[in-house]
Every structure is written in C-alpha cells, then in structure tokens.
Amino acid sequence: MTTMTETARFREFKMPDVGEGLTEAEILKWYVQPGDTVTDGQVVCEVETAKAAVELPIPFDGVVHELRFPEGTTVDVGQVIIAVDVVPGGGEAAAEPVVPAAAEPEPAAEPEAPKGRQPVLVGYGVAESSTKRRARKGTEPPAAAAAAIQGELNGHTTVAADVPAPATTVVPESHPLAKPPVRKLAKDLGIDLATVTPTGPGGIITREDVHAAAAPVPAPASAPTAPAAVAEAVAVPVAAAPVPGARETRIPVKGVRKAIAQAMVGSAFTAPHVTEFVTVDVTRMMKLVAELKEDKDMAGVRVNPLLIIAKALLVAIRRNPEVNAAWDEANQEIVQKHYVNLGIAAATPRGLIVPNIKDAHDKTLPQLAAALGELVTTAREGKTSPAAMAGGTVTITNVGVFGVDTGTPILNPGESAILAVGAIKLQPWVHKGKVKPRQVTTLALSFDHRLVDGELGSRVLADVAAILEQPKRLITWA
C-alpha cells in the first residue's frame, strides 16, 4: 500500500487567461473558505478582467487548504490563487488552512511543487511519481480532466473526471486543451471537446475548431480574437464613498474602465474619424413598432425602436457591404467582412461594454429581437463573457435613452463604423406641405476615413434614415 507525500496531497489552481490574451484579473469575491469541500466544476470565485466579470470553477475535488489572495487583489495570469488538499486526511496532518489577509503574523508555509509537475491551460498537471510501480490489474486509473471555465452568460462547463485515487500514483491521460471561452462555446453548441480535432499550437482547441465540429460545412471565418470592443466612455464607475470633508476622491483605473480608456485612446489616435448627421421623421417606424408588439409572431420577445434601427442598419450594410470592413495596419490590407457581428453599447455598473450579436445578418426579425433582449439583459446583470464582446464588426450606441439628441461616437477598435441614435421626440415637422407634430430623431454615423470615403459613409447613413422614415423599405430593399 502506498500513500501520497505531503506535497503531492496539494494541488494548486492558477489564475487562468479567461479573456484570451489578458494579463491580469481582480478577485472580486471568494465563494469558498479554507476547510470547505469543493468538487470538480464548482465555482470558487468571481474575478473581473479588462473585459468582464467571470466565475472560475475548480478543476478537481478536495478540501480548500489556502486562499492565496484576499478579495480586491489584482492577480497576474499564471499566479496560484488557491491550494486544495486532494487527499484530505491522508498521510500526516496538514498545516492549518490559511485565509489571505493584508498582514499575517505567521503565514502557513506553501507546499513545494514536486518535480516534473508541468503547467497546463488551467492550474497544474498531475505530479509525476518518483518510483515506478506495476499497473494494477483491471480498470486503468482515472485521470483528472482539465478545468472547464466560465463562458457565455456566466455559465460554466463541467467535464466528467475522476479524482486520483489516494493509494496510487495517477498516470495522466490525454484530455482536450482549450481556453475558457472556447470551452463555453463548445458547451453552448453541444460539442464534446474530446471529439474535436485541435489545430492550435501545442494541440490547443480553437474557436474555429469548435465551429468546424458543430457544422457539416465550415462556417464563415470567425472574427479574429481582438480586444473586446468598447464604445465611447459614457458610464462612470461607481466611486468609493468619499471621506467626510475630503475635497477629492481617487479611483484606481483597472478592469473595464482601464480597457475602455486604452481602447478609446488607441482608436481616437489611430483611425481618422469622420462623423455625419441626419435628422429623420420616424413616425411610421414608431407605428410599426406598435403594430409588431401586437403581432403573434413577435410574442415573447421585446419589440422597441432599437430593433427596427438594428434591422435598418443591417439592410444598409447589405446594400453597401464595403462599410463592413477593418483596416489591417500590419499587412497593409483592408479586410472585408462577409458577416455582421452587430455590437450594442450597454451601460453596466462596471462601465460601458459592447457585446455583439454573432451573424446578425442571417437572423430574422423575431430572432434578432430575441438576441437583442438576451444581450441587453445579460449585460445589465454583469454576466457578459469576454467571448460575447470579441469579434464585432459594426456597432450601435443608443444615447437617446439618456435624453441626448446625438453625439460623435468613437469607433470600437477593429471596426470601421458606429451608429449613434438620439432621443425620439415629438417635434414640428413639415409633412405633406403642412407643419405637423411628428416623431423625430437624429442619427450620427462615425466611420474610419482610411477605408470609408465620404460618399460610402453618406450612402449608409442615408439608407438607414430612409428605412426608418419608410419602414416598407425593409421589404423592398431586403
């Protein structure tokens, strides 16, 4: 009979890269404490990255031994954040569980990592044994599977895995390697990662691999995983309660606010912005919205002016596809997108984010309405995942909800156009030769003048306005 050494009893879970390229994340909340029992796939903490707040599940069973960082700490990707006793009660008594604190007089000694322990996508792989043992007859010893990290809408995938038996050394078996957003995408599409052929470096499964496994015919190329698109900085992060008598309050720049600042500075000083405006009578559009709310085919989905505006922009892009493109500075190329991932700017407690509706150009009006409703609800609840904010091609920002007439929106990095929609107000308007009260709004289209000429930008904006003024063009122009 064999027993694990004290160091082999503990497994460490590192801060993963939950956003594909992020370097750090802030621990917002711990859901477990030292001494708590955890199971494979159980969420142990919530972290905020530069893109979103996500929950992290632990990839193995055991008892929490130590939390390495307290809440509110910004941790680099790759740093150990929690240690778990995977063989509780085995061997000699373990050191007392340690709770992270600002100043500990006698912090518990951290277990030394055994030789041959190699890092994987999340945490560490299984420790190698220092002695050779004959395999037991019968069933092969199970291997711990890689973690399935939180993804779309703050759900998380759990991959079936057995815990290493305490009396034997575990021999690692092959398991699919994929980053957290890719794992969640596979879950949403009902794809078993074990059946996917990886094409990424080191045998890592990519987003494209999952899409290829989900469809018999390869789907249109996914947008490159660029930094999450963010719109102009409108929302302000909640500040800490001011000290009585203090004349100033300093707020650390991190998380979503830091990402917004970097993206906006990069966009404003890289892409030459041009903004055009048009004021349009949307009375007929508002009547259509009222009629659609009573339509049985739209039952169960939210119908509002934003839905018709989004559809109008998609039609305008179909008529002027050159606007749906991106500038590739490194290769000196203009990348034409043959799909539309429609971004919708949403104000959240953590700042302004822009999740996007994937392949919005292929959706019917009821499907688009359902996608808009889910997108906005998820964003307001603070559950938007990094994957939902990646790959946008064009954006709508509805500043009208704040009573603002219009604005000059800043482009999201990697996109060439953004449409701002102002407040819809009852105003005097010349209609059929007479001044009448009509529903009027102002639209503003900002575009990247490197690849969108004034003529093209004007045609797109004019088409959107024409559709909102005469919604029947949604049919005649479709």
Side-chain angles (χ1 to χ4, degrees), residues 335-423:
V335 183
Q336 292 282 347
K337 307 293 179 65
H338 304 301
Y339 57 92
V340 181
N341 290 345
L342 181 63
I344 304 293
T348 73
R350 293 188 176 94
L352 195 68
I353 63 174
V354 186
N356 59 76
I357 300 172
K358 303 296 193 255
D359 294 326
H361 63 291
D362 281 338
K363 297 187 181 299
T364 63
L365 196 63
Q367 290 172 342
L368 187 61
L372 275 171
E374 181 181 359
L375 178 148
V376 173
T377 299
T378 303
R380 288 176 178 171
E381 292 176 351
K383 297 180 179 180
T384 303
S385 70
M389 293 184 286
T393 63
V394 67
T395 293
I396 296 176
T397 176
N398 186 9
V399 297
V401 297
F402 304 109
V404 176
D405 290 333
T406 190
T408 55
I410 297 178
L411 294 168
N412 296 325
E415 300 181 16
S416 61
I418 177 171
L419 178 70
V421 182

Side-chain angles (χ1 to χ4, degrees), residues 248-459:
E248 295 180 350
T249 299
R250 290 182 173 268
I251 305 171
V253 179
K254 56 185 179 180
V256 175
R257 175 54 51 192
K258 183 177 181 179
I260 290 174
Q262 293 174 342
M264 292 301 95
V265 170
S267 177
F269 292 97
T270 300
H273 285 57
V274 174
T275 305
E276 295 186 341
F277 309 88
V278 63
T279 302
V280 59
D281 177 2
V282 295
T283 305
R284 291 187 179 90
M285 181 197 75
M286 297 303 290
K287 290 180 179 179
L288 175 61
V289 170
E291 293 172 0
L292 288 175
K293 288 181 178 180
E294 305 299 326
D295 193 315
K296 63 179 182 179
D297 291 332
M298 302 298 289
V301 297
R302 185 178 180 183
V303 178
N304 54 23
L306 180 61
L307 171 62
I308 307 302
I309 294 167
K311 194 65 175 178
L313 179 57
L314 292 172
V315 172
I317 292 173
R318 184 181 303 170
R319 287 166 54 85
N320 305 276
E322 298 86 358
V323 76
N324 189 42
W327 183 272
D328 187 342
E329 181 66 27
N331 295 315
Q332 287 296 292
E333 294 175 339
I334 294 175
V335 183
Q336 292 282 347
K337 307 293 179 65
H338 304 301
Y339 57 92
V340 181
N341 290 345
L342 181 63
I344 304 293
T348 73
R350 293 188 176 94
L352 195 68
I353 63 174
V354 186
N356 59 76
I357 300 172
K358 303 296 193 255
D359 294 326
H361 63 291
D362 281 338
K363 297 187 181 299
T364 63
L365 196 63
Q367 290 172 342
L368 187 61
L372 275 171
E374 181 181 359
L375 178 148
V376 173
T377 299
T378 303
R380 288 176 178 171
E381 292 176 351
K383 297 180 179 180
T384 303
S385 70
M389 293 184 286
T393 63
V394 67
T395 293
I396 296 176
T397 176
N398 186 9
V399 297
V401 297
F402 304 109
V404 176
D405 290 333
T406 190
T408 55
I410 297 178
L411 294 168
N412 296 325
E415 300 181 16
S416 61
I418 177 171
L419 178 70
V421 182
I424 299 174
K425 299 178 179 179
L426 198 63
Q427 296 182 16
W429 193 265
V430 177
H431 178 66
K432 296 182 179 179
K434 296 181 180 180
V435 177
K436 296 181 180 180
R438 304 285 288 180
Q439 299 279 4
V440 177
T441 190
T442 300
L443 308 174
L445 183 72
S446 291
F447 50 87
D448 186 343
H449 216 344
R450 291 176 299 180
L451 64 158
V452 179
D453 295 332
E455 178 188 4
L456 175 58
S458 299
R459 288 203 311 265

Side-chain angles (χ1 to χ4, degrees), residues 65-149:
H65 174 66
E66 179 182 5
L67 306 181
R68 296 290 177 88
F69 298 95
E71 295 176 355
T73 305
T74 298
V75 182
D76 291 336
V77 169
Q79 283 191 282
V80 176
I81 60 175
I82 183 173
V84 174
D85 185 351
V86 295
V87 193
E92 299 181 0
E96 289 296 321
V98 179
V99 179
E104 285 287 345
E106 293 181 5
E110 299 179 4
E112 180 182 355
K115 290 184 178 180
R117 209 175 189 187
Q118 299 297 326
V120 293
L121 279 179
V122 180
Y124 276 92
V126 181
E128 294 181 357
S129 174
S130 58
T131 60
K132 295 183 180 180
R133 295 182 177 86
R134 182 178 301 168
R136 301 177 67 180
K137 296 182 179 179
T139 307
E140 290 292 328
I149 302 302

